[in-house]
Amino acid sequence: MRLAFVHKHFGREGGTERVLVELARGLAARGHRIDLFCASWDRDLKLLPNLQLRPLPVWRGSAVLRNLSFYLAARLLVRASRYDLVVHFGRSGPGDVYRSGGGCHRRWLGLLSAASSPLRRLLLRFSPRQAFLLWHERRAIAGPCRIVVPSPRARQELVDCYGPGANKVEVLANGVDLGRFRPELRQQWGASQRAAWGVRPGDRVLLFVGSDYWRKGLDRVLAALARIESQGQRFVLLVAGGDRRQAAFRRRARSLAVGDQVLFLGAVAHPELLYAAADLLLILTRHDPFANVTLEALASGVPVISTAANGAVSVLGAGAALEVVDEDCEPQLLAARIEGMLEPVGLDSRRAAARAQAEHFSQERATRSWEQLLSGELERRRNCA
C-alpha cells in the first residue's frame, strides 16, 4: 500500500509519537510505502528506504494559529498527492482513517473545566483553540472516515458524548517493543542508573512518567508518598517528563516534606533505562485513552498501580502486576497499596507476571492489526468504486 501518515511531530517524546514511530517503521519493514507529513521531527531518527518525511509549513504564533495552519497544510498538500489511504494521528483532518489517540476531547475539557477556577473556566469556554479542537472532533464523528481509538474506555467516552454516531469507532490496542523494554535491563543497567541519579542501594524507587503532571496524577502520587511508613527504608520518586508547572509541583513536594525524595528528571531519551531502575510505576491519571507507559513498564518487569481512567486498564485488565485504584483513593490507602506491591514476598512473581501480561501486546501484533484494518479499508473502497 502507498500510505500517507499525518502528525505534527515524528519523534520519541509523547505517547502518540512513539506509537507513530513504531507503526510507521513496522509497516515500512513489511513492504508498504509511507510518506509521513509532519511539521517537526527528531533529526537522529533512522528512516527505512520506503519511509519518507514530507515537511509541512506551520504558522508561528498562538496555538490556534499553529493548529489551523497545520490542518490547512495537511488538507491542501496531502490531498494533492495520490495515496491509497491517508491516516491522521492528530487533529489535522479526519482523512480516510483517523486515530483519536488523545481520546474524547469533549470529555477531557469537561473534567478540566470542573477542576478550574471560575476565570479559567470562562477562558476555556471562549478559547478559539478549544473551539477548533471540539469542531474537529464533531466533524470526525459525523464524517465517513474510519475512527480508531486504543481502548474500549476511549471508545465508550466518545459514544457517551456523541451518541450513536460514535458507534463506528473501532478499538486497536497499542503494542510495545518487547525487545527494547525487557526485564534483563534491570541487571544490566539498574544499579548504574540509580547511582547516576543519586539513589542509594536499598532504596525503593517509584516512577512517574508524563508530560502533563496534573492530568497524570502527580499531585496524588506526592500526597501518597508523604503517607508512606518508611520503616527504615527510603522511598524515592523519579519524575520523568517536562511540564511548565514543574516549579509548582516542586513546591508542593517541599510542602509535604518529601522534596528530598523527589527527583525531577525532565524529558528522558531512553525510557527503557527508567524502568531498569524502577520498582513500581504510578500512573494515577484523571484521563488517558491508553497510557503507553503502562505497557512499557510491564514489559520491563515493573508492576504498575493505575486508575480505571487509564484506558490501558480496560485492555489489559487488573492482575497481580497491575493494581487498579479508585480515582478518589485516599492518600493513606494509596500509600498502603504502594507498600503492599513492594513487599519482598511475592515481588519476583509480580515482576514475572508483569512481563507475561505485556507479552500478549507486542508491537508486531499491533502492526499486523493495523495492516489488516488498512488493507481491509482499501479493499472496501475499491469494491465501492
Side-chain angles (χ1 to χ4, degrees):
M1 292 179 285
R2 186 165 185 249
L3 306 170
F5 284 180
V6 185
H7 189 56
K8 289 181 183 178
H9 183 70
F10 185 60
R12 304 182 186 90
E13 182 68 18
T16 296
E17 286 76 11
R18 292 214 286 275
V19 168
L20 176 56
V21 166
E22 295 301 328
L23 179 59
R25 284 174 168 171
L27 290 174
R30 297 173 75 88
H32 304 288
R33 179 180 171 184
I34 298 171
D35 284 0
L36 202 148
F37 291 83
C38 57
S40 60
W41 60 93
D42 289 357
R43 305 287 172 166
D44 60 336
L45 278 176
K46 295 180 180 180
L47 302 178
L48 298 175
N50 49 340
L51 173 58
Q52 301 295 323
L53 292 179
R54 304 292 186 211
L56 289 177
V58 175
W59 296 332
R60 296 184 179 183
S62 67
V64 68
L65 282 177
R66 293 195 302 271
N67 283 325
L68 182 59
S69 64
F70 189 82
Y71 172 83
L72 292 174
R75 292 286 294 171
L76 294 173
L77 298 180
V78 178
R79 290 295 179 180
S81 303
R82 295 180 62 86
Y83 295 99
D84 292 325
L85 293 171
V86 177
V87 185
H88 287 259
F89 286 79
R91 298 177 179 97
S92 53
D96 301 315
V97 179
Y98 168 50
R99 181 185 182 272
S100 179
C104 179
H105 189 71
R106 182 174 166 187
R107 165 71 172 164
W108 164 238
L109 189 59
L111 291 173
L112 185 60
S113 297
S116 298
S117 66
L119 176 58
R120 192 183 184 202
R121 197 176 301 131
L122 189 66
L123 293 174
L124 288 171
R125 182 176 180 181
F126 293 101
S127 164
R129 177 175 181 270
Q130 300 302 330
F132 171 80
L133 296 177
L134 289 173
W135 169 81
H136 178 274
E137 188 167 83
R138 290 193 302 270
R139 183 171 177 271
I141 294 293
C145 69
R146 292 184 75 164
I147 300 178
V148 176
V149 294
S151 69
R153 181 182 178 92
R155 182 186 187 278
Q156 189 58 50
E157 287 183 350
L158 286 169
V159 172
D160 291 343
C161 285
Y162 293 99
N167 285 329
K168 67 176 183 177
V169 176
E170 304 171 61
V171 176
L172 280 185
N174 295 344
V176 64
D177 185 339
L178 294 171
R180 180 182 182 188
F181 299 97
R182 61 188 192 276
E184 292 78 13
L185 294 183
R186 176 178 294 275
Q187 287 73 39
Q188 185 177 356
W189 294 104
S192 61
Q193 285 299 306
R194 288 181 179 226
W197 292 318
V199 178
R200 299 189 302 237
D203 288 351
R204 287 299 193 188
V205 177
L206 310 177
L207 178 62
F208 172 94
V209 183
S211 58
D212 186 336
Y213 292 170
W214 183 81
R215 180 169 68 88
K216 300 285 187 176
L218 180 56
D219 55 319
R220 295 166 167 171
V221 176
L222 293 175
L225 181 61
R227 299 295 187 91
I228 292 178
E229 299 292 338
S230 63
Q231 297 179 349
Q233 190 169 51
R234 183 169 179 258
F235 285 77
V236 176
L237 174 65
L238 302 180
V239 178
D243 191 301
R244 59 184 176 83
R245 295 162 294 181
Q246 185 180 109
F249 279 90
R250 285 182 182 272
R251 290 193 296 270
R252 177 61 175 164
R254 288 195 295 269
S255 72
L256 292 169
V258 294
D260 62 338
Q261 297 172 251
V262 183
L263 303 178
F264 288 87
L265 306 179
V268 175
H270 299 284
E272 63 271 23
L273 299 183
L274 286 172
Y275 305 114
D279 296 306
L280 180 68
L281 174 75
L282 301 172
I283 176 73
L284 303 177
T285 184
R286 292 174 164 90
H287 179 261
D288 209 319
F290 194 113
N292 289 339
V293 296
T294 312
L295 262 184
E296 293 173 356
L298 293 173
S300 303
V302 178
V304 178
I305 295 180
S306 188
T307 62
N310 177 2
V313 169
S314 64
V315 174
L316 299 167
L322 176 57
E323 183 156 347
V324 183
V325 298
D326 294 335
E327 292 182 52
D328 57 354
C329 183
E330 292 293 328
Q332 189 66 53
L333 178 57
L334 179 56
R337 296 289 186 89
I338 293 172
E339 292 175 285
M341 287 288 275
L342 293 177
E343 281 287 339
V345 177
L347 183 56
D348 286 343
S349 64
R350 282 191 288 275
R351 287 173 175 165
R355 176 66 182 188
Q357 193 170 17
E359 285 177 346
H360 296 289
F361 297 91
S362 68
Q363 182 57 48
E364 176 64 21
R365 174 183 178 271
T367 300
R368 287 198 307 269
S369 296
W370 267 98
E371 185 179 44
Q372 291 169 5
L373 181 141
L374 295 173
S375 60
E377 176 64 12
L378 180 57
E379 184 66 22
R380 184 189 70 80
R381 288 170 179 266
R382 286 171 174 169
N383 291 337
C384 293

